Amino acid sequence: MAHKEPIRVLVADDSAVYRKLVEHALPSALFPVLLAKNGLEAIELFHQHRPEMVITDWVMPDISGIEICRRIRESSEGSYTYIIILTSVTQTENVVRGLAAGADDYLTKPFHAEELLARAQVGQRIISLQRQLEAKNRLLEELALTDALTGLPNRRAVEEWACRQISGARRHGFSLWVALADLDNFKHVNDAFGHEAGDVVLRKFAEILKSNMRRSNMCARIGGEEFLLVLTHADADQARVVVDRIRQALEQYVFTFSSAHANVTASFGISGFSGKLVPDFSALLNQADRALYSAKNLGRNRVEIYKD
């Protein structure tokens, strides 16, 4: 039988007797319990601990179980919370109200401990399925934002990140630089040594990029042999120094393909801004592309900064 991960349970009831009845019905190893003696305390404990399950009384002197449901659903962040309402109100319209407010299940007071445990186990299975779904969604999102060959972020990821950085630069007046990098004569590497050799070069260049970038910056592969770097809080000279250090690191690295040795170089075009006049990301990218074109025309293996 597979090991089940514990589910944290928040129990809210103004009756000390019913709080204990619920606590005793749930095995502590599988359902560690937090106890709240009223609705306000339940809301506070929920925001502090974010339990996966809430079992709440319907009628309490300050905030009702229905209101707790609404507040939990309105403030929902991340994982789903499974909610069971305990009620002595059995009219159909009231049960419907509870479910409409966001409850997943209800149980009539007085209840049998075995039935409460069975309903909590149903919730446990649903929470487990929800966790699996969230993990798969996170993986899919990561894959959607990652270049499979190099492990670097892809174009979509860096564009989303850069646009957020540009918004910050616009508000706070810090500088931002965009650098386009293109491996020189990359087709020759594939033609001379094969596509596997080309993949080795791309992965190595990705390593060089990552090792030379601060955490506050970002680099990505945006297609083929083209890469994008975004640097923040740096002036033009600092941006050039960082990019030229990357250029030199690649130039000095000796690749070995079978018995052959080879060097690979890259050309770089940089565009950026300082201060409040902030262009949009596509404009910066176009300017960096024009600077890269100049670097290629001027002999490759060099860094050029865009000038109006």
Side-chain angles (χ1 to χ4, degrees):
M1 184 175 173
H3 173 71
K4 290 183 178 178
E5 193 175 341
I7 298 294
R8 291 169 300 172
V9 181
L10 172 60
V11 177
D13 201 307
D14 57 317
S15 164
V17 172
Y18 270 107
R19 288 198 301 273
K20 281 296 177 187
L21 287 172
V22 174
E23 185 178 14
H24 289 158
L26 303 175
S28 59
L30 290 178
F31 299 98
V33 167
L34 295 163
L35 296 173
K37 57 183 177 294
N38 56 52
L40 285 173
E41 187 179 4
I43 294 296
E44 185 178 334
L45 287 172
F46 177 80
H47 288 301
Q48 284 177 7
H49 300 279
R50 291 285 170 180
E52 292 88 351
M53 184 180 295
V54 173
I55 300 176
T56 178
D57 188 21
W58 180 302
V59 179
M60 286 184 285
D62 53 353
I63 296 178
S64 69
I66 294 290
E67 183 61 23
I68 289 173
C69 282
R70 288 199 187 97
R71 293 197 188 187
I72 288 174
R73 294 300 180 228
E74 286 170 3
S75 67
S76 180
E77 297 174 8
S79 297
Y80 188 79
T81 303
Y82 192 88
I83 303 175
I84 300 174
I85 290 185
L86 301 177
T87 178
S88 54
V89 183
T90 57
Q91 290 92 339
T92 301
E93 60 270 22
N94 287 317
V95 171
V96 169
R97 277 180 58 212
L99 297 175
D104 295 283
D105 198 358
Y106 73 96
L107 190 59
T108 303
K109 288 182 173 181
F111 57 81
H112 293 289
E114 294 85 357
E115 185 177 4
L116 176 62
L117 176 58
R119 290 175 184 258
Q121 288 170 332
V122 170
Q124 185 182 39
R125 287 195 294 274
I126 290 172
I127 291 165
S128 177
L129 291 171
Q130 185 70 22
R131 284 174 172 171
Q132 293 173 36
L133 180 61
E134 288 167 1
K136 288 177 182 176
N137 286 340
R138 284 194 298 271
L139 178 60
L140 288 172
E141 181 64 19
E142 183 180 334
L143 291 173
L145 297 173
T146 304
D147 173 60
L149 178 65
T150 63
L152 290 179
N154 60 18
R155 186 185 190 108
R156 174 186 159 195
V158 74
E159 286 186 354
E160 289 178 1
W161 184 86
C163 288
R164 290 195 298 271
Q165 292 298 311
I166 288 172
S167 295
R170 187 174 286 117
R171 287 194 305 273
H172 305 295
F174 62 78
S175 58
L176 183 144
W177 298 89
V178 169
L180 273 176
D182 188 84
L183 298 177
D184 298 325
N185 300 313
F186 186 68
K187 185 175 183 300
H188 173 72
V189 174
N190 285 328
D191 291 344
F193 305 108
H195 286 279
E196 287 186 10
D199 290 349
V200 169
V201 171
L202 293 169
R203 282 193 289 263
K204 183 60 188 180
F205 187 52
E207 287 178 22
I208 291 171
L209 289 176
K210 285 187 284 190
S211 65
N212 283 280
M213 297 288 281
R214 298 196 315 249
R215 283 191 175 184
S216 57
N217 298 329
M218 191 174 189
C219 54
R221 182 184 178 208
I222 60 173
E225 62 270 25
E226 199 167 39
F227 294 78
L228 179 65
L229 297 71
V230 182
L231 300 87
T232 60
H233 300 87
D235 60 27
D237 289 338
Q238 291 168 333
R240 180 185 279 276
V241 166
V242 170
V243 173
D244 199 57
R245 186 167 61 236
I246 292 167
R247 182 195 64 78
Q248 291 179 46
L250 177 63
E251 179 187 29
Q252 293 164 9
Y253 187 83
V254 179
F255 292 92
T256 302
F257 306 124
S258 300
S259 58
H261 302 290
N263 292 91
V264 178
T265 62
S267 300
F268 299 80
I270 302 176
S271 176
F273 62 86
S274 299
K276 296 289 185 182
L277 295 175
V278 183
D280 61 29
F281 182 69
S282 61
L284 286 172
L285 207 55
N286 287 334
Q287 292 169 2
D289 190 52
R290 289 163 69 178
L292 173 61
Y293 184 77
S294 295
K296 293 285 190 182
N297 282 344
L298 291 169
R300 298 186 175 88
N301 188 27
R302 60 187 294 131
V303 178
E304 290 294 319
I305 295 183
Y306 174 78
K307 297 179 181 65
D308 290 324

